[in-house]
Amino acid sequence: MTRRSFGTFCGAAALIAALGVPANAEEFRWASTTDPQTMDPHATSSAPVLGFLNNVYEGLVRRNKDMAIEPALAESWEPLGADGWRFNLRQGVTFHDGAPFTAEDVLFSYERASSEDSDVRSWFAPVTEVQVVDDFTVDFLTSGPNPLFPDSIANFMIMDKDWSEANDSARPSREQENHATRNTNGTGAFKVDVRDPGVRTELVPHGDWWDEAEHNITRAIFTPISNQATGIAALLSGEIDFIEPIPLQDVPRLSQTPGFTVHPGVEARVIMLGFGLDRDALQYSDETSDANPFLDPRVRQAIYQAVDVDALISRIMRGNAEPASQLVSPAMRGYTEALGERLPFDEDAARALLADAGYPDGFSFGLMCPNDRYINDEAICRAVASMLAKVGIDAKLNAMPVRAYWPELRADNFDMYLLGWSPGTFDAEHPIRFLVATPNEEKKLGSWNFAGYSNERIDELLPMIQTELDDAKRQAMIDEVHQIIFDDVAYVPLYIQPLVWGSKDNIDLTQRTDNFFILRWVTVN
């Protein structure tokens, strides 16, 4: 080794040591079909955003490899009787810019995340007040006992108050960009070094991270690749080290290709169809412009029974999914065993229901669908449209990238839509609060209830479910809610989405059922 190369080696070794990663550190390149649409942890409650930003920002608590809650920016927490929770904060933590983390940042982040501008405000529906006890103690006061609260805020990420205010980002922006849309300043294991939306995002380790690094990454480069064939080609050619998801049709080939590994699993996400139930007329029908057939539960049931979910799973998902009968999978707390079976696929029953509802010749409507959010999402929507055509219903499909999809849904530009939901608490209360509760900004409820579905009994039961400590009584109330949803056909649950990741076989990683890809658990061998 020459004197110059030895000096270069020592300099690199010093840099690696300063970053707090092992000496055998490596660059890591990965891809997914969806680019996170924002770097703001409070602007969008979607898995691509929250999953990515879990590498950059941190919460009071976090989920470990087995999805259990563990300490993060809070070292411990305890209930305040029936009045809420006290969080004891970790001392000595710094943000990426070197600023110290204190209780004021927690209070600021709560006020920001619970504001009307936030997409995650429903997380704080039970919270009545947040009090700073001292620099490292914070109380979250709730309207009643709330045993699930620590679980419910696992993705509540803390921002630096001074940084946010200095950069005119004191509130999140869902529609327009602000500084926090493209820039970050978290406390997490990685910090954003380069952000080029839709092209690439580069992260480097946070050298002053409070926890011990398990990874050996010096730079992580993320590239969104919407075309699945292009993505698998990039993996096979060595351009990237990891991709999710891999095309289902390529699973056998990749499994048999030396040097690569397929990581299969089952996600917590249920894929479903939703209806526009808060308007008197369809928006995209050719002939039914003065009525909304979906307001009739018989029509919604006809849609349900006209869709052959087994065929969707076998043909489109290539057997890599399981039928769903409710808004949560059997693995979730609060699943209702008595409703474990879907209504049968029955085209004749669907036609009879349509005729009984006054639509013997069917009708046309607009079906909104993303084309880069869920596995084979556009193909699923095309197949659903084809199945509905067989009973006389003409679904006019409009598929688009997810970056444009969420704004369209929030603007009510749909008659029916495709949605996937993974409960952040792994509890049935979560989709009830977000998808089924009557939308109410003041109460921070129903923020993803694009359908506008409303049921007084469900609204009555929800706060009781949130505060009930007796498991049997709580489950009975959840069962009642699930029965109402089932009888009303508020949604049409289709299937539980699979996890299908692919990597080079020199990559060690952890796959969680929330489909979050956590860089701090990645090792390049």
Side-chain angles (χ1 to χ4, degrees):
M1 181 181 292
T2 67
R3 182 173 298 174
R4 179 172 180 176
S5 63
F6 178 75
T8 302
F9 171 80
C10 290
L15 173 62
I16 289 169
L19 291 174
V21 297
N24 60 331
E26 299 284 349
E27 181 177 280
F28 176 73
R29 299 156 298 169
W30 91 105
S32 181
T33 54
T34 304
D35 189 49
Q37 66 193 85
T38 180
M39 293 288 100
D40 190 326
H42 307 147
T44 302
S45 180
S46 70
V49 171
L50 298 178
F52 189 93
L53 291 180
N54 259 264
N55 294 301
V56 178
Y57 288 97
E58 294 176 300
L60 300 177
V61 301
R62 69 186 183 188
R63 295 195 181 278
N64 65 18
K65 295 178 180 181
D66 298 317
M67 296 303 299
I69 290 294
E70 67 178 16
L73 294 182
E75 288 186 311
S76 63
W77 53 93
E78 61 267 355
L80 298 169
D83 298 324
W85 290 83
R86 170 164 290 178
F87 291 86
N88 305 301
L89 307 184
R90 191 177 301 277
Q91 300 187 32
V93 175
T94 60
F95 287 93
H96 295 157
D97 67 354
F101 159 72
T102 71
E104 289 298 329
D105 299 306
V106 177
L107 175 60
F108 166 79
S109 297
Y110 160 73
E111 292 173 343
R112 191 178 191 274
S114 63
S115 69
E116 292 186 3
D117 303 303
S118 171
D119 196 36
V120 301
R121 63 195 312 265
S122 289
W123 295 346
F124 305 101
V127 177
T128 58
E129 186 182 0
V130 173
Q131 297 177 346
V132 172
V133 179
D134 57 42
D135 283 350
F136 296 101
T137 310
V138 179
D139 289 346
F140 281 74
L141 305 183
T142 58
S143 54
N146 199 296
L148 287 178
F149 184 70
D151 277 77
S152 73
I153 58 169
N155 291 318
F156 165 44
M157 301 179 213
I158 305 302
M159 298 182 70
D160 180 357
K161 177 179 185 292
D162 292 339
W163 178 86
S164 300
E165 292 178 342
N167 290 289
D168 296 322
S169 300
R171 289 291 182 266
S173 178
R174 289 189 286 183
E175 307 301 333
Q176 304 296 325
E177 286 196 1
N178 63 22
H179 188 75
T181 305
R182 297 191 182 212
N183 300 275
T184 63
N185 186 34
T187 60
F190 289 85
K191 55 185 179 181
V192 175
D193 187 49
V194 176
R195 172 63 175 165
D196 189 356
V199 180
R200 83 184 192 284
T201 305
E202 299 187 18
L203 301 94
V204 295
H206 175 24
D208 293 323
W209 189 42
W210 58 270
D211 204 358
E212 182 178 350
E214 295 182 41
H215 66 87
N216 67 342
I217 298 172
T218 53
R219 179 170 293 271
I221 303 172
F222 172 76
T223 305
I225 304 177
S226 58
N227 184 286
Q228 292 189 329
T230 303
I232 198 71
L235 179 65
L236 292 171
S237 68
E239 295 177 43
I240 57 176
D241 302 303
F242 167 85
I243 189 169
E244 66 85 15
I246 60 174
L248 297 177
Q249 65 270 21
D250 289 318
V251 170
R253 174 166 67 113
L254 192 64
S255 299
Q256 298 169 11
T257 301
F260 298 92
T261 300
V262 173
H263 305 269
V266 178
E267 195 177 357
R269 187 175 310 280
V270 172
I271 305 297
M272 67 193 79
L273 297 171
F275 307 94
L277 303 177
D278 57 355
R279 72 284 310 260
D280 294 327
L282 296 176
Q283 299 185 67
Y284 301 99
S285 179
D286 293 329
E287 77 299 315
T288 311
S289 58
D290 59 348
N292 182 0
F294 294 135
L295 295 178
D296 191 322
R298 293 170 295 184
V299 173
R300 302 197 294 271
Q301 184 176 335
I303 298 287
Y304 188 127
Q305 295 199 259
V307 175
D308 187 348
V309 168
D310 289 339
L312 294 179
I313 292 173
S314 63
R315 298 171 190 171
I316 309 298
M317 303 302 291
R318 296 177 180 260
N320 293 284
E322 299 189 7
S325 63
Q326 45 201 284
L327 303 187
V328 291
S329 75
M332 300 299 104
R333 182 185 183 196
Y335 179 80
T336 298
E337 296 290 346
L339 296 174
E341 297 295 326
R342 301 186 81 258
L343 288 174
F345 165 61
D346 190 332
E347 292 177 343
D348 290 335
R351 294 188 188 95
L353 285 163
L354 289 171
D356 192 42
Y359 298 97
D361 300 320
F363 57 92
S364 63
F365 70 94
L367 171 60
M368 291 284 286
C369 185
N371 58 18
D372 63 354
R373 174 61 191 94
Y374 312 115
I375 296 175
N376 292 344
D377 42 15
E378 183 175 358
I380 288 292
C381 285
R382 291 191 181 281
V384 166
S386 177
M387 292 171 181
L388 296 180
K390 294 180 180 179
V391 298
I393 301 175
D394 178 17
K396 299 189 294 181
L397 177 62
N398 184 7
M400 64 188 66
V402 71
R403 185 178 292 268
Y405 187 64
W406 300 134
E408 289 293 307
L409 292 192
R410 294 200 178 282
D412 290 335
N413 294 330
F414 63 87
D415 293 324
M416 192 167 84
Y417 60 96
L418 186 77
L419 181 68
W421 195 258
S422 177
T425 58
F426 286 71
D427 188 282
E429 179 272 341
H430 193 270
I432 296 171
R433 174 166 34 111
F434 278 89
L435 305 183
V436 185
T438 301
N440 186 313
E441 288 194 1
E442 182 180 351
K443 294 182 178 180
K444 306 183 184 74
L445 297 174
S447 59
W448 281 68
N449 184 356
F450 303 121
Y453 175 76
S454 179
N455 182 281
E456 289 185 6
R457 178 57 177 163
I458 291 178
D459 292 341
E460 178 185 359
L461 286 168
L462 177 57
M464 298 165 64
I465 291 169
Q466 292 171 327
T467 58
E468 180 56 62
L469 300 178
D470 184 284
D471 285 343
K473 293 179 180 178
R474 185 176 189 271
Q475 184 62 50
M477 289 187 285
I478 292 175
D479 289 345
E480 183 179 349
V481 170
H482 283 163
Q483 188 67 58
I484 294 170
I485 295 170
F486 184 86
D487 292 342
D488 281 355
V489 198
Y491 291 88
V492 177
L494 299 175
Y495 56 87
I496 303 161
Q497 179 165 274
L499 291 174
V500 192
W501 296 0
S503 74
K504 294 179 180 177
D505 61 9
N506 67 324
I507 304 298
D508 290 335
L509 54 82
T510 295
Q511 183 185 72
R512 299 196 318 197
T513 54
D514 60 359
N515 200 25
F516 285 11
F517 184 64
I518 307 299
L519 286 170
R520 69 176 186 271
W521 295 325
V522 172
T523 302
V524 183
N525 298 307

